[in-house]
Amino acid sequence: MEIKLRVLIVEDVATDAELIEREPKKAGFELLSRIVETREAFIEAMAEFNPEIIFSDYNLPSFNGMQALLLRQEKLPNIPFILVTGANNEEIAVDCMRAGADDYILKENLTRLGQACKAAINKKAIVRANLEAMEKLSVLSRAVEQNPALIMITGLNGEIQYVNPKFCEVTGYTSAEVVGKNPRFLKSGNQSEEFYRNMWQIILSGKEWSGEMLNKKKNGDLYWVNATISPLLNLQGEITHLVGIVEDITEKRKMIVDLIQAKEKAESGDRLKSAFINNISHEVRTPLSTIEGFVEMLISPETSDENKVLYGQIIRKSSNRLVNTIASYIDISLIVSGNIEVHNS
């Protein structure tokens, strides 16, 4: 199966360019070629043609192979560059290889060009793969370093190998103070030994453990965390490391406690309101019932004048009690609503 390849050839002799094209074809490449011989045409071809490999003569009318190589380094540093020249000059060859050329082939030995082409492409593919892998590692590293969660990596024996900056910020410990130590120094004493035994049993079985615990900072302050600890396995399925991702939930728990207390306070207020309303009902209903009863007796034709006077006094007394009760409740309502100023004496 032929491999398609875009080849940029820097050559001023047409027959030499044809010979250069022949060897990669023999090696199994299907070529899409562009031939240039000036500096300007070379720069334009690198931008427009997007070559996958460059073959360049060393001695050209307007510039040379070293200049072409340096332009390649600037514009397309990851594209293979092979010098194909008739100049058998070891010093030039060494300089070109040091400057970044992938190979230096004499025109009298063009049969080596096909294999050199394959080797250069494979080499650049490996370099690109390594660069991509390094970039991925860099992204992962930044994700861990800049993560808002506390991240800790330990060996299987529990000794800390890495903590991220957020861990140091929250706990107060520096990385140098904790690396190589067991994280038991974070224990607050709030969790039982049984709690930790169960946790380790789950983790060492290869499963992920999650839970809340109360930990202690370097300065002695306590803080609540929601922790997830996961085992890392090698290709053989063996646990090699443990990764802990920890969220500081101290403020979250405080907010929940405050909400519960506010709810209890509101419920207590509702109970007080109910008791207050029941008390009002009782305090109002009692004198009102007295007034209503004695009014009926007062207007009865069978009531004597002496009793009418007595009933009138009772009605007046109950009326005063009712007025005073209502006035007191109105004063309480004004105080609670903040519409009256209180002077303690």
Side-chain angles (χ1 to χ4, degrees):
M1 180 180 176
E2 291 187 336
I3 303 171
K4 293 184 178 179
L5 190 66
R6 288 191 304 278
V7 178
L8 177 57
I9 301 174
V10 186
E11 176 62 65
D12 60 324
V13 179
T15 53
D16 285 353
E18 290 179 8
L19 292 172
I20 290 171
E21 288 178 312
R22 182 186 304 171
E23 296 304 321
K25 289 178 181 178
K26 288 181 182 179
F29 292 100
E30 179 185 342
L31 301 189
L32 177 61
S33 304
R34 179 174 292 190
I35 302 171
V36 298
E37 59 180 87
T38 66
R39 184 178 188 277
E40 293 73 18
F42 178 59
I43 293 173
E44 182 181 341
M46 282 195 294
E48 295 179 357
F49 183 59
N50 193 23
E52 294 172 285
I53 191 167
I54 299 171
F55 299 133
S56 176
D57 193 0
Y58 189 83
N59 294 310
L60 295 157
S62 61
F63 77 131
N64 62 39
M66 177 62 81
Q67 292 171 331
L69 176 58
L70 296 177
L71 286 169
R72 188 290 311 248
Q73 291 286 74
E74 178 186 344
K75 306 291 184 181
L76 300 172
N78 295 319
I79 300 302
F81 187 101
I82 297 177
L83 276 161
V84 184
T85 179
N88 188 2
N89 187 314
E90 290 186 3
E91 185 177 346
I92 291 176
V94 170
D95 289 343
C96 289
M97 296 300 288
R98 285 177 176 173
D102 292 275
D103 210 332
Y104 187 96
I105 295 176
L106 295 176
K107 289 182 179 180
E108 62 189 40
N109 193 21
L110 280 180
T111 54
R112 200 168 65 82
L113 186 57
Q115 291 304 315
C117 180
K118 286 183 178 180
I121 290 172
N122 290 336
K123 176 184 173 183
K124 291 300 182 183
I126 292 171
V127 170
R128 281 194 293 269
N130 288 338
L131 288 173
E132 290 172 2
M134 290 176 63
E135 179 60 26
K136 287 180 180 179
L137 286 174
S138 176
V139 171
L140 290 173
S141 176
R142 292 197 302 273
V144 171
E145 288 285 317
Q146 301 173 20
N147 203 291
L150 289 72
I151 297 178
M152 176 195 303
I153 300 176
T154 75
L156 190 56
N157 59 1
E159 288 186 357
I160 297 172
Q161 295 183 2
Y162 169 83
V163 291
N164 71 339
K166 189 65 176 181
F167 176 94
C168 300
E169 176 188 332
V170 172
T171 65
Y173 291 98
T174 65
S175 177
E177 288 176 314
V178 301
V179 169
K181 295 182 179 178
N182 190 289
R184 63 172 63 95
F185 61 84
L186 296 171
K187 287 184 178 181
S188 65
N190 185 69
Q191 288 76 228
S192 65
E193 290 301 319
E194 181 66 21
F195 172 90
Y196 290 107
R197 277 196 297 271
N198 290 336
M199 180 185 76
W200 279 105
Q201 184 177 1
I202 292 171
I203 295 168
L204 295 179
S205 69
K207 298 177 182 177
E208 180 180 276
W209 177 90
S210 294
E212 293 184 1
M213 60 178 75
L214 185 65
N215 283 348
K216 184 170 65 175
K217 300 181 181 181
K218 183 179 179 180
N219 63 5
D221 289 349
L222 301 179
Y223 65 105
W224 281 97
V225 299
N226 182 22
T228 299
I229 303 175
S230 306
L232 289 182
L233 310 179
N234 61 16
L235 295 177
Q236 289 72 40
E238 301 166 336
I239 300 174
T240 59
H241 295 82
L242 305 175
V243 178
I245 300 177
V246 180
E247 178 190 5
D248 184 353
I249 59 170
T250 307
E251 290 301 318
K252 187 183 294 185
R253 284 181 66 94
K254 182 178 181 300
M255 182 178 67
I256 292 172
V257 170
D258 290 344
L259 288 173
I260 292 172
Q261 291 176 347
K263 179 175 177 289
E264 291 175 349
K265 186 176 180 181
E267 290 173 347
S268 176
D270 287 340
R271 290 192 295 270
L272 287 173
K273 284 181 183 178
S274 298
F276 185 65
I277 291 170
N278 290 335
N279 192 47
I280 290 176
S281 177
H282 173 73
E283 292 295 328
V284 170
R285 221 174 20 239
T286 299
L288 201 56
S289 297
T290 301
I291 293 170
E292 186 180 33
F294 279 96
V295 166
E296 289 292 330
M297 295 171 65
L298 185 63
I299 63 176
S300 173
E302 299 177 357
T303 303
S304 64
D305 291 340
E306 182 181 351
N307 284 338
K308 286 181 178 179
V309 172
L310 177 62
Y311 295 161
Q313 291 173 347
I314 293 172
I315 291 170
R316 183 180 295 111
K317 183 178 179 181
S318 295
S319 297
N320 290 337
R321 178 185 171 185
L322 181 60
V323 169
N324 290 333
T325 297
I326 293 172
S328 295
Y329 285 129
I330 290 173
D331 286 344
I332 291 172
S333 176
L334 291 172
I335 292 170
V336 170
S337 64
N339 291 319
I340 192 170
E341 186 177 355
V342 179
H343 298 278
N344 295 323
S345 62

